[in-house]
Amino acid sequence: MSINVVSESLISTLPGSTYVDEAVFRAEQERIFEQMWFCAVRAADLDKPGAFRTVQVGRESIIITRNRKHGIRAFYNICRHRGVKLCMEDAGEAARSFQCPYHAWTYDFDGKLIAAPNLTKMPDIDRQEYGLVTIPVREYLGYVWVCLAETPPSFEEDVMGDIQERLGDTQAIEGYDIANLSLGRRITYDVKANWKLIIENFMECYHCATIHPELTEVLPEFADGLAAQYFVGHGAEFGDDVRGFTIDGSEGLDKLPGVDDDHDRRYYAITVKPTVFVNLVPDHVIIHRMFPLAPDHTVVECDWLYLPSVVDSGKDVSTSVELFHRVNQQDFDACERCQPAMNSKIYAKGGVLVPSEHHIGAFHDWITDKVGDVVGTAPPRSSGTGPQHLFPGGDHDEH
């Protein structure tokens, strides 16, 4: 495997204010989370018409549900009458419709206004026009993606493009058949840190030998911390004595049948901007979805996905869950340790990236392109932040 050469010089990071300033976070909400495709819910969580989940996307609360024909629909969680929030729960099941708790305006699962007090006496009200405001949706990898932009960007270029950039082509992920896997475990983490710190942590492995002893036992090359220098398509290989991607390296669960020999005994991670991590191993897939709620507060929902036969049989998945759960705890603890320093005068101009982290500079350039005018004090940056064939994601990846 060839390795790219990275400049030995240090480069500057984003300034500390980027991680704490309310104006920067508002700009990120408006220009990033509300303009890009956002991975909102797992489609299987909406198992019947009327089943719904509410999610926060940027500054907006969104309802995602199924209509009577089992199609996925998404709406702003706002009554068209006086702006009351329709659904206060994170998840639930509406029996027949969504009804506003204030004045009882009522909407069907396609968002149409179907009832309201004295509605028949108000013939000028168009029931479609005054229905819930619909949001574009796409289903991919078994998840529902929404986009709040007036003109959504290309899903193929943005979402699938990040996967292609990391793996070399989108076909490489198809063998894992993620959409047809079953949920074996879900853990939600409440992280008191800025979302960008979590992304940056996931993108490098300079820290792996320091805080991830269990992970480096399973993936020995991560102990070198040189993850940034591998070409696209490389997967970290299991150690010689490792039998599975488990907390103790013991045998894993049933291998996904579409994983070929080239991808067997390897770990791949992908960052899909802005807030998704996809982790691939031979017998399961781990999906992280981030929900940035404040400059110093991010909720991360993490799903462990297995073959349906594994979940249905009740097989014990704890040894495979425990490995990445422990990695998550170690990572989020590190991010929470970083967060207070972002407000320090010592970090006002930021820090530095060492050669094995230079690809994070590309992420910082992307952030600067989106909100640099609001940051204002961002130091001059160079787009030449490392090799041209770097991966767009992976804390525990070869980035």
Side-chain angles (χ1 to χ4, degrees), residues 9 65 68 102 104 130 206 227 269 282-283 331 338:
S9 62
T65 189
R68 296 295 181 189
Y102 194 5
Y130 287 95
Y206 189 42
D283 65 333
D331 280 338
C338 286

Side-chain angles (χ1 to χ4, degrees), residues 245-262:
F245 195 74
T246 57
I247 189 63
D248 56 3
S250 60
E251 189 75 31
L253 295 154
D254 297 351
K255 179 183 170 183
L256 307 180
V259 176
D260 58 28
D261 291 343
D262 290 340

Side-chain angles (χ1 to χ4, degrees), residues 54-70:
T54 59
V55 296
Q56 190 73 21
V57 180
R59 298 163 297 177
E60 303 289 350
S61 176
I62 307 301
I63 302 171
I64 304 174
T65 189
R66 287 194 186 273
N67 63 15
R68 296 295 181 189
K69 296 181 179 180
H70 294 267

Side-chain angles (χ1 to χ4, degrees), residues 48 51 73 138 160 176 208 242 252 291 312 336 355 360 370:
K48 63 184 69 173
R73 303 300 302 272
R138 289 285 298 266
M160 299 174 71
Y176 295 84
C208 287
V242 171
F291 299 88
D312 293 344
E336 290 183 339
I360 297 177
K370 298 290 187 182

